[in-house]
Every structure is written in C-alpha cells, then in structure tokens.
Amino acid sequence: MSKEKSTHLILIFVFIFFLGINSVYFFINLYTSFSDNIYAFNELFINYQAGFIRRGLLGEVAWQLNNFYAIDPKTFFSLFFFLIYLFQIILFFFIFQRYLVSKLIFFTIIFSPSILLFHIYSPELFFLKDGLVKFTFLLHCFIFYKYFFLKKDKESYLKFLKFLIIPILFVVILVHEYQVFALSLHFLISLGSVQDKKGFKKLLKFYYPLIIPIFLIIIFFGNQVQFENLSEILKKFNIELNPYLGGGLYHYIGGFYKWHFFYFSYRDFINLFFSFILSILIFYVLFNYLIQNKVVSFFSKYQFNYQLYFVPVLIPFLLTSDHGRNISFVSFYLISFFIILKLDRIKLLNNLNVILKNCFSKYSIFIFIFFYIFMWKLDQVAGFGLQGKTNDIFQSSLFAEVIKLIKFLYNYVDLNIINLPEIKL
C-alpha cells in the first residue's frame, strides 16, 4: 500500500470514528430526560421574553420555533449542537490533515481530551454554548488557511472577513459573551494578512462594528427581575435557570471565592495543575520548539508576539470556576492557531527522526501518547471535587467511550433491527 493511500485511509477511519461517536451522543442526549441540574441545557432556554439579556439570542430562536412551528426545543438544541460539532470535525480535519506526515503529532492532537473530544463525556459539555464559539474560531482559521494561504488570495479572505466572519462574531457575542474574550485571537489570525501599519489600521476598521454587541451585553447583563420573570415563563418547559443570571457580577465573584478559597483542596490543585500541563503546556512547548527550529513559521511580523493576544482568553479563569471548560477553550484556540501557520513538512520529519533515533526517547514518547489518549480526561471542572466529592482526571477516557459506543450499537440493533443474543452477567 502506498504511503499516500495509507494516509487517506487513516483520515477516513478517524473521521468515521468521530462521526460515529458524535452521532451516538446526539441520539443519547436527544432521547434522555435531563434532570433540573443540567446547567448547560437549561441555560440554552434563556431568551428575550423578559427583556433583552445576554446569552438570550439562541434561546429566543428556540422559543419562536416552538411558538410558531411547535418544534421541541430539545430536538432543536440537540440537532443544532450535533451540526456544530460535525462542522468542527470537518474543518479541523481539512486544516490538520497535512500533519499526518507525523502520525505521533496527528494522533496526540486529534484524540486530545481537551479539543475535539471535550464535549462528548456528558450533557453538561455537549450542550455548552462554547461549541459555537469554538466553531466560529475554527471557521475563521479555515477561511484564512484556504484563501490566504493555499490560494494566495488576500482580497477574497478580506471579503470573507468583512461580510461573513465579522457578522457571525456579532451574532455569537449575543449568544454567549465568551466570544468577546476570543476577539483578540480572531484579530491575531487576521494579522497574518498584514505587512505594514497601513494594513494594520485598515484591519482595525473591520472589527469596529463588534463594539456594538459588546456594549449591549454589558448594559443588559441580567438582573433579579429578569431572572424571576424568565423562570416563570420557562416553567412550561420544566426549566430551572441558574441563579447567576439574576445575581450579575456579584454572584460570579462570590462563586469564585467559595470555589477557590473555601472548597478548593490540595487534590483539586493537583488535578488542575495536570489538566493545564496536558491540555495547554505540552502543545505550547511542542509548537514553540517547531517555531524556533523554523519548522513552523508566521505569515507576518505582527504575529510574532502571539502570546499577548491570548491574555484576554485567560480572563474567564478569574470570573468563573469551571476551569476544565476554560482550559479546553485555551487549548482549542492554541492548536487551531498553530496548525494554520506555515509548515515545512520535510524539516518536521527531519527533526522527529533525530528525536526518535534514541530508543529511550522513542519508546518513552509511545508510552506517553498511549497514556495521553486513553488514561485521562478533561471534565468541565478539571477534576475538582465539589464539597468533598471525589473526582479525578486520571481515569479511562477514550477507551471508556469506545465501550459506550459498542454498548449503544448493541442495544440499538437489538431494539430496532434484529434480536441479538441475550447477554447475561
């Protein structure tokens, strides 16, 4: 089998796996009756029926679809997020396939629990609006990579930026204010098309309209009256909103204090520390090594100090307490930015061959990658054990999901297609 055909088959196999596991979770979440404590699912119902409020746009769409066309909100949300994750996979594979020249890097990143697999472990993650924010960033990476890098067509990229990316960012800010923190990274991508100060100033003008939604979410942050009215309105769907919606910034500050200075333990710190290392630090070190050795290079001098543009996405660590979610954000942004940069595949192979010539290094890397893919996972709270509850990031991750996939397929075929042999335990 030729190397090119082998690479193509690997891509197909991995893509089918991601499609299959996301399809399974789509059906599981669609037909599962959620309890009132599924915060992420309940938050999707926030709408404008009690006045304009942050995070209300998606919920208002679901409300109107239910009101005029009797579409069940749960069906709408399940299908919406399934499509978001499907497009994430397609876009990521399109950009990342050139890294298959190094299967070690490809499999480590593609199966990282902090990137494309982060949302599959529970409904709290599947229904997070974070998926839409990540999709928007990946879409921008894809357009830059395809038009500016592959086609060398700067004008087409700028048209897409002005008439597609900026309007989408405008809308997504109204869906979730986390998009505001990622605007600096969108600007960082666009800087790849800038070669002088004139181009820099021109690019700034493209982003000016986003000031409008930013002011809107600041002014209409939410208050206790809206929280109470919305809670009453949403009783028809048996939805219980999180009190943070009514408490505003004071509730966030109080929650941060309780989380980090009242409940936080040494065990929680260890989980958080290793979550940071395994999700962010290893990729940062890897790609900085590649940048220093000119394997990966920037498009413009304005991208050299890229670390500064990541500072805003660290702000949620000070405002929220679900750090697994925040870590996943940073990891996703970091990888998505790195993989659209220029890549010298010959230099990449040469550098890897030098490392793998040493037997100890070679087998140590293989052991680490096996551990990395199968023996840890990043949950929403990065292993934090709230109020003394035991929680740990070091547990079966991908292997456990494969087992769930096999069980789901067995039960689905047994119930809907043919009677399979009974399994007695």
Side-chain angles (χ1 to χ4, degrees):
M1 185 183 296
S2 67
K3 190 172 183 180
E4 184 177 341
K5 189 174 182 180
S6 173
T7 299
H8 184 66
L9 287 175
I10 290 173
L11 274 175
I12 293 175
F13 173 78
V14 176
F15 180 81
I16 291 174
F17 169 78
F18 274 90
L19 179 61
I21 203 165
N22 277 276
S23 299
V24 167
Y25 273 89
F26 163 68
F27 284 107
I28 289 176
N29 291 321
L30 182 60
Y31 295 110
T32 299
S33 297
F34 298 132
S35 58
D36 292 337
N37 63 354
I38 302 298
Y39 159 73
F41 179 72
N42 290 348
E43 192 194 55
L44 295 175
F45 287 81
I46 299 173
N47 56 56
Y48 299 147
Q49 296 303 304
F52 193 87
I53 190 172
R54 66 188 173 95
R55 305 187 182 184
L57 182 57
L58 187 61
E60 183 65 21
V61 172
W63 177 276
Q64 297 300 336
L65 289 175
N66 178 260
N67 190 35
F68 289 103
Y69 303 105
I71 297 177
D72 179 29
K74 186 176 181 181
T75 302
F76 167 72
F77 290 134
S78 298
L79 182 59
F80 176 82
F81 281 100
F82 172 71
L83 292 175
I84 288 295
Y85 295 131
L86 176 60
F87 285 126
Q88 275 189 25
I89 294 167
I90 293 172
L91 296 177
F92 198 89
F93 270 64
F94 181 87
I95 301 170
F96 194 52
Q97 60 181 324
R98 59 188 176 141
Y99 273 88
L100 248 179
V101 68
S102 168
K103 294 178 178 61
L104 293 178
I105 293 178
F106 180 83
F107 285 114
T108 303
I109 292 177
I110 208 75
F111 289 118
S112 170
S114 65
I115 304 176
L116 291 181
L117 291 174
F118 176 70
H119 65 274
I120 69 172
Y121 296 112
S122 68
E124 289 94 336
L125 302 178
F126 187 88
F127 288 108
L128 281 175
K129 293 177 181 177
D130 304 7
L132 183 57
V133 180
K134 292 176 179 178
F135 163 74
T136 305
F137 187 71
L138 197 54
L139 177 63
H140 192 174
C141 289
F142 166 78
I143 290 174
F144 180 89
Y145 176 75
K146 181 177 181 180
Y147 290 96
F148 185 82
F149 178 51
L150 295 182
K151 294 187 175 182
K152 312 299 182 184
D153 189 350
K154 179 179 177 179
E155 292 304 315
S156 290
Y157 165 68
L158 292 177
K159 287 180 180 178
F160 273 106
L161 176 64
K162 185 176 181 179
F163 297 109
L164 180 65
I165 299 300
I166 297 299
I168 289 177
L169 290 173
F170 192 106
V171 170
V172 175
I173 289 173
L174 300 180
V175 174
H176 201 312
E177 71 273 10
Y178 264 39
Q179 182 63 81
V180 175
F181 302 117
L183 292 181
S184 61
L185 299 181
H186 284 273
F187 191 71
L188 174 63
I189 296 173
S190 300
L191 283 176
S193 66
V194 173
Q195 300 302 326
D196 51 41
K197 290 184 179 180
K198 183 179 179 181
F200 185 89
K201 293 178 180 178
K202 180 181 177 182
L203 188 63
L204 272 177
K205 293 178 181 178
F206 283 15
Y207 283 83
Y208 283 163
L210 298 178
I211 295 174
I212 298 173
I214 293 174
F215 273 115
L216 287 175
I217 64 170
I218 292 174
I219 295 170
F220 300 100
F221 197 76
N223 55 55
Q224 189 63 31
V225 174
Q226 284 180 307
F227 167 72
E228 293 172 358
N229 290 340
L230 269 179
S231 297
E232 187 66 28
I233 291 169
L234 292 175
K235 281 184 178 180
K236 63 178 289 187
F237 297 120
N238 194 31
I239 293 300
E240 183 178 329
L241 295 177
N242 192 297
Y244 276 14
L245 182 68
L249 189 61
Y250 292 103
H251 259 170
Y252 280 94
I253 295 173
F256 177 85
Y257 175 81
K258 286 190 295 183
W259 191 278
H260 294 86
F261 300 103
F262 192 79
Y263 295 129
F264 208 69
S265 67
Y266 179 74
R267 182 191 184 97
D268 299 320
F269 171 77
I270 293 297
N271 280 320
L272 180 60
F273 179 69
F274 277 102
S275 294
F276 171 78
I277 291 175
L278 296 173
S279 299
I280 298 174
L281 189 60
I282 63 166
F283 297 133
Y284 177 79
V285 171
L286 169 64
F287 279 95
N288 265 281
Y289 169 81
L290 297 178
I291 290 170
Q292 290 173 6
N293 287 275
K294 302 188 185 306
V295 177
V296 171
S297 56
F298 300 104
F299 291 96
S300 167
K301 62 181 181 180
Y302 290 96
Q303 291 182 312
F304 289 167
N305 296 320
Y306 70 92
Q307 297 96 333
L308 296 176
Y309 293 88
F310 278 85
V311 172
V313 300
L314 301 179
I315 294 175
F317 283 89
L318 304 176
L319 299 177
T320 61
S321 46
D322 42 355
H323 289 324
R325 173 189 183 189
N326 297 327
I327 287 173
S328 175
F329 260 126
V330 178
S331 178
F332 191 94
Y333 294 146
L334 197 67
I335 289 298
S336 299
F337 170 68
F338 280 140
I339 64 175
I340 63 170
L341 299 178
K342 299 175 186 176
L343 172 66
D344 188 325
R345 285 185 283 187
I346 295 177
K347 283 187 177 181
L348 176 63
L349 284 176
N350 290 337
N351 276 268
L352 288 173
N353 288 335
V354 170
I355 296 173
L356 295 178
K357 278 183 179 178
N358 185 294
C359 286
F360 178 78
S361 298
K362 179 178 179 179
Y363 290 110
S364 296
I365 290 173
F366 287 150
I367 292 171
F368 171 78
I369 291 176
F370 179 85
F371 158 79
Y372 188 82
I373 293 176
F374 292 104
M375 301 179 68
W376 82 284
K377 73 176 183 179
L378 181 68
D379 59 22
Q380 185 173 356
V381 292
F384 175 64
L386 182 60
Q387 298 180 357
K389 296 178 182 177
T390 302
N391 193 13
D392 203 330
I393 66 168
F394 298 107
Q395 51 186 292
S396 180
S397 53
L398 187 59
F399 182 74
E401 300 311 313
V402 172
I403 298 300
K404 288 180 185 178
L405 174 61
I406 294 172
K407 290 180 179 178
F408 173 83
L409 293 175
Y410 177 90
N411 292 327
Y412 183 84
V413 171
D414 187 48
L415 293 173
N416 298 285
I417 303 177
I418 60 173
N419 289 326
L420 295 176
E422 184 179 359
I423 299 177
K424 293 184 179 181
L425 297 176

